[in-house]
Amino acid sequence: STGGAVATPEDHDVEYLTPVSIGTPEQILNLDIDTGSSDLWVFSSETSRSEVKGQTLYDPSNSSTAQKLEGYTWSISYGDGSSSAGEVYLDTVSIGALTVSSQAVEVAQKVSSEFTSDSNNDGLLGLGFGSLNTVQPNAQKTFFDNAMPALDSPVFTADLKAGIPGRYNFGYIDPNAYTGNITYVSVDDSQGFWDWTSPGYAIGSGSFENTTIKGIADTGTSLLLLPSSVVSAYYGKISGAKYDSTQAGYVLPCSPTPPDFAFGVGDDGAAIVLPGKYINYAPTGSSGTTCFGGIQGDSGIGFAIFGDVALKAAFVVFDGGSKTLGWASK
Ligand SMILES: CC(C)(C)S(=O)(=O)N[C@@H](Cc1ccccc1)C(=O)N[C@@H](Cc1c[nH]c[nH+]1)C(=O)N[C@@H](CC1CCCCC1)C(O)(O)C(F)(F)C(=O)NCCN1CCOCC1
């Protein structure tokens, strides 16, 4: 079997939302597919009313296939300090033509203010490794883990785009979605992430800098978070770029367009090139002359995060069979 659905960007490509069908008859929610976590949780009829602002709610009592897992609970917190918690049902979940009949659907009873204010985001669908799932007393499998045995190929692909809808596909690799070759690299799943090592980077037309960058491919993080040495080398090339403590990040003049940024993949010289305009992440003030940088530091996290700013420059294969990541230009 195979499946897939569109991934539509919110403003500034801060996140990508994908329609996911839950229950019988189907209830369609727009979820943030997140390879940095492994819980599928949704706003629901059980979410406290004061914490709901516009989101679509999953109501298990309106689904003939919903079964409550009595006594099961979940609670999760994310890198940006947001959090949610609740109870657990099993129900039918589909992404396009791909259906998992008995998927753990974690219904939120509480969500933090960041989720409440993100009115188009109806929840998250985690595609990290199972070890990250927070359900107690027994961890539950991700949609991908449940689907894998039936898939034509044990893979899903991320084809995020700048400012326009892209796609997540399951079970196959669309040869029309990328150019050149796909370079596969090994993944360390010991922390539950799609964790890999890039051999280095290049700035604009500059020479390639060999320096190992260990980080995760994370569709749920908006920016490209890199070691401070790399980040200061990049912004050091841009007159007017500086670290702005009030914004808690590097800012730069929105024009002229900043230099491209390339990160290496594999040891054959392959690289993914981010066009400089991707680094103009969003205007900071009303003037529109200063932009918040799409590349920021990873200090305090312990590893780099190849988030949407990086992923939208590539076609990425998440191979659950060989536990490898495939990177291609497009
Ligand atoms: C708000 C912002 C300034 C634009 S942002 O750049 O911070 N963007 C947020 C995502 C976002 C988009 C839209 C609205 C609100 C929030 C962002 O990039 N958040 C990252 C920031 C980060 C990562 N690391 C350090 N800081 C994050 O927490 N991403 C997680 C998913 C997010 C959570 C908030 C809602 C949107 C999805 C994540 O899952 O990708 C994660 F990997 F970073 C993470 O936190 N994974 C949780 C891992 N735990 C380990 C223990 O077991 C449970 C799971």
Side-chain angles (χ1 to χ4, degrees):
S1 64
T2 63
V6 291
T8 302
E10 290 290 286
D11 287 353
H12 308 302
D13 302 346
V14 68
E15 64 186 353
Y16 292 77
L17 299 177
T18 294
V20 176
S21 158
I22 307 175
T24 312
E26 65 175 15
Q27 300 177 41
I28 298 182
L29 277 67
N30 295 317
L31 305 185
D32 183 356
I33 292 186
D34 175 21
T35 57
S37 66
S38 304
D39 285 53
L40 193 174
W41 73 262
V42 292
F43 275 81
S44 76
S45 49
E46 298 185 20
T47 311
S48 53
R49 282 288 153 278
S50 64
E51 295 175 353
V52 176
K53 222 172 74 190
Q55 290 83 4
T56 299
L57 308 179
Y58 164 65
D59 185 346
S61 63
N62 286 344
S63 170
S64 61
T65 42
Q67 296 169 283
K68 185 166 187 189
L69 287 181
E70 283 301 342
Y72 281 63
T73 58
W74 60 281
S75 174
I76 193 165
S77 57
Y78 297 99
D80 59 10
S82 57
S83 62
S84 50
E87 299 181 319
V88 187
Y89 288 78
L90 297 179
D91 209 341
T92 301
V93 175
S94 297
I95 297 181
L98 178 63
T99 296
V100 169
S101 53
S102 186
Q103 172 65 44
V105 179
E106 303 170 30
V107 300
Q109 292 175 305
K110 293 186 309 187
V111 301
S112 64
S113 59
E114 298 87 351
F115 288 112
T116 301
S117 57
D118 190 1
S119 53
N120 294 332
N121 182 332
D122 303 326
L124 266 64
L125 191 145
L127 294 181
F129 290 96
S131 59
L132 290 183
N133 181 265
T134 72
V135 173
Q136 294 288 346
N138 305 322
Q140 300 297 301
K141 286 186 174 184
T142 66
F143 177 83
F144 181 50
D145 281 344
N146 283 323
M148 221 183 313
L151 291 177
D152 293 5
S153 174
V155 303
F156 67 89
T157 63
D159 181 10
L160 303 180
K161 294 178 190 257
I164 58 171
R167 264 190 89 80
Y168 288 105
N169 287 329
F170 293 82
Y172 72 105
I173 292 171
D174 177 356
N176 302 316
Y178 63 92
T179 59
N181 297 320
I182 301 176
T183 301
Y184 287 88
V185 295
S186 59
V187 162
D188 164 14
D189 68 345
S190 63
Q191 303 304 307
F193 297 114
W194 293 87
D195 197 349
W196 68 291
T197 299
S198 166
Y201 68 96
I203 299 170
S205 54
S207 59
F208 189 81
E209 287 297 312
N210 285 293
T211 174
T212 60
I213 303 172
K214 193 167 191 301
I216 69 173
D218 183 5
T219 57
T221 286
S222 312
L223 306 180
L224 172 52
L225 307 178
L226 291 171
S228 49
S229 57
V230 179
V231 178
S232 51
Y234 179 79
Y235 289 112
K237 302 272 190 203
I238 304 169
S239 53
K242 64 182 179 10
Y243 185 85
D244 179 341
S245 47
T246 56
Q247 306 269 352
Y250 282 87
V251 298
L252 68 159
C254 301
S255 65
T257 302
D260 295 353
F261 179 85
F263 60 90
V265 177
D267 41 22
D268 294 346
I272 298 295
V273 181
L274 276 62
K277 64 180 187 315
Y278 287 12
I279 316 303
N280 277 340
Y281 183 70
T284 56
S286 51
S287 68
T289 54
T290 303
C291 276
F292 191 75
I295 293 175
Q296 296 293 342
D298 66 5
S299 40
I301 300 173
F303 44 81
I305 301 191
F306 294 85
D308 299 336
V309 160
L311 298 172
K312 65 191 180 186
F315 175 81
V316 190
V317 181
F318 294 75
D319 191 317
S322 58
K323 293 200 178 164
T324 57
L325 273 175
W327 294 88
S329 298
K330 60 189 181 192

